[in-house]
Amino acid sequence: MSLNVTLNNGVEMPALGFGVFQTPPEQTVNAVTEALRTGYRLIDTAASYFNEREVGEGIRRSGLDRAEVFIETKVWISDYGYDETLHAFGKSAGKLGVDQIDLLLLHQAVPTDFDRTVDAYRALESLLAAGRVRAVGVSNFMPDHLATLRKRTSIVPAVNQIEVHPYFTQSDVQQAGADLGIRTQAWSPMGGITSYRGTGTSTFDDPTVTAIAADTGKSPAQVMLRWHLQEGRSAIPKSVNPQRIAANFDVFDFELTPDQLAALDALDTGVRRGPEPETVTREAFWRDIPEA
Ligand code: NDP
């Protein structure tokens, strides 16, 4: 299995990356250097995670060349609008300490103010044309958001980063993306959100997942990450624990069977754990993103 996927504009992106949502700034430098030491080459952060500065520091401390690491971040909705989003790029690049960002996403659609969302995306298109970013994309966009964006803008998003784990697969959103040439990237790829924000069984303890783990001699986390990769998705697991950071990258030495993939697909409950994208408004989700 290839370690990279090719985005719709030809840019190569590591399929398996490393996430830092909820990683406190004081733990982020170590988590990122540990991940890069392990072999991850994609780091996913966001302006609204308030740890971009530490992500940049972790990358510099790793000793790797800038070109060896694929940096992905997201513009928060408080910074939407053409000029505001251009400025948001500057804030993120400044905190990360880089001139160019590999993949810049809009973090959410704002359905009640889609004009502003479109303006934000047009800023991403300008940044792409100017070479300040290598690829642009979206996150948490539903099929109708993707369709409207396509009608009103020129560049097809390279990526739609959405909640995908065995308990919530959003196959309709994945299909809508695939039809447009958009790569799905799974957030909460191991279903971490079913554990830290869930009630009842978490994906890590699911009987089907643990049975496949026992059959393959791998852990539930490794089984879920392999499932994404074999189904063509990028995935960005998060951990602050060195053993788990390493284990989550050790997924290239086994193969799930078609039956095992189908059994994991069949666990979908249709229940979303993250925010309902249709209800996101700038007022309710406002966050001030500091200057660099
Ligand atoms: P994950 O599926 O990555 O799960 C992370 C959770 O599981 C953490 O609590 C972690 O704890 C724990 N964990 C990590 N590895 C293992 C393991 N091997 N066995 C058991 N437990 C484990 O979910 P996240 O929600 O953290 O999502 C991952 C990334 O996706 C984020 O960091 C972020 O980059 C992105 N994301 C994007 C969103 C968006 O709206 N675009 C929303 C949410 C996430 P510990 O750290 O202690 O190991």
Side-chain angles (χ1 to χ4, degrees):
M1 164 170 296
S2 168
L3 293 183
N4 287 338
V5 293
T6 306
L7 301 178
N8 61 15
N9 64 352
V11 166
E12 297 270 309
M13 178 180 82
L16 186 61
F18 183 69
V20 295
F21 173 48
Q22 301 184 111
T23 303
E26 62 278 12
Q27 292 182 41
T28 301
V29 174
N30 281 347
V32 167
T33 49
E34 193 62 32
L36 294 171
R37 208 174 57 81
T38 297
Y40 296 80
R41 289 293 179 268
L42 185 169
I43 310 293
D44 176 71
T45 183
S48 65
Y49 300 169
F50 302 106
N51 56 14
E52 289 173 307
R53 206 177 293 283
E54 291 75 14
V55 166
E57 181 60 25
I59 293 170
R60 281 187 295 281
R61 279 204 206 166
S62 75
L64 291 166
D65 284 345
R66 165 69 190 91
E68 291 182 68
V69 184
F70 191 99
I71 303 179
E72 178 174 351
T73 191
K74 316 182 191 83
V75 179
W76 186 243
I77 58 177
S78 313
D79 283 341
Y80 283 9
Y82 186 82
D83 292 337
E84 294 89 334
T85 299
L86 290 181
H87 186 67
F89 164 82
K91 290 198 273 188
S92 285
K95 288 173 197 161
L96 288 160
V98 298
D99 297 325
Q100 187 188 51
I101 288 170
D102 295 284
L103 175 60
L104 186 61
L105 308 181
L106 297 187
H107 207 141
Q108 300 274 347
V110 182
T112 51
D113 197 354
F114 208 78
D115 286 351
R116 194 185 277 273
T117 306
V118 168
D119 287 344
Y121 193 80
R122 290 198 177 119
L124 299 195
E125 292 180 324
S126 297
L127 291 163
L128 186 67
R132 307 306 304 274
V133 299
R134 296 174 65 225
V136 299
V138 295
S139 177
N140 300 307
F141 270 48
M142 297 297 100
D144 59 320
H145 305 143
L146 293 174
T148 310
L149 189 75
R150 280 304 298 129
K151 279 195 207 112
R152 299 185 55 188
T153 60
S154 314
I155 309 277
V156 182
V159 162
N160 188 15
Q161 184 186 113
I162 57 172
E163 180 180 349
V164 185
H165 46 73
Y167 285 176
F168 192 54
T169 60
Q170 306 206 74
S171 53
D172 57 329
V173 187
Q174 292 194 51
Q175 189 58 53
D179 291 346
L180 294 167
I182 301 170
R183 175 78 53 174
T184 296
Q185 186 174 57
W187 68 249
S188 231
M190 305 176 292
I193 197 165
T194 68
S195 155
Y196 61 71
R197 227 170 262 168
T199 49
T201 307
S202 83
T203 47
F204 294 106
D205 299 324
D206 180 87
T208 299
V209 176
T210 53
I212 296 173
D215 287 347
T216 53
K218 301 296 276 190
S219 70
Q222 290 166 330
V223 164
M224 291 187 272
L225 294 170
R226 183 74 200 183
W227 167 71
H228 290 293
L229 300 181
Q230 284 187 226
E231 293 194 348
R233 288 181 293 276
S234 170
I236 42 169
K238 172 265 179 188
S239 181
V240 293
N241 173 288
Q243 283 77 38
R244 291 194 285 274
I245 290 172
N248 295 345
F249 199 71
D250 181 18
V251 296
F252 295 100
D253 64 347
F254 76 114
E255 182 105 14
L256 298 170
T257 66
D259 284 352
Q260 288 170 329
L261 295 175
L264 293 165
D265 291 337
L267 296 178
D268 183 33
T269 61
V271 179
R272 181 187 302 283
R273 312 296 171 118
E276 168 55 53
E278 216 46 56
T279 67
V280 169
T281 62
R282 293 201 341 138
E283 296 70 29
F285 288 83
W286 185 273
R287 277 170 218 157
D288 286 317
I289 304 299
E291 297 296 324

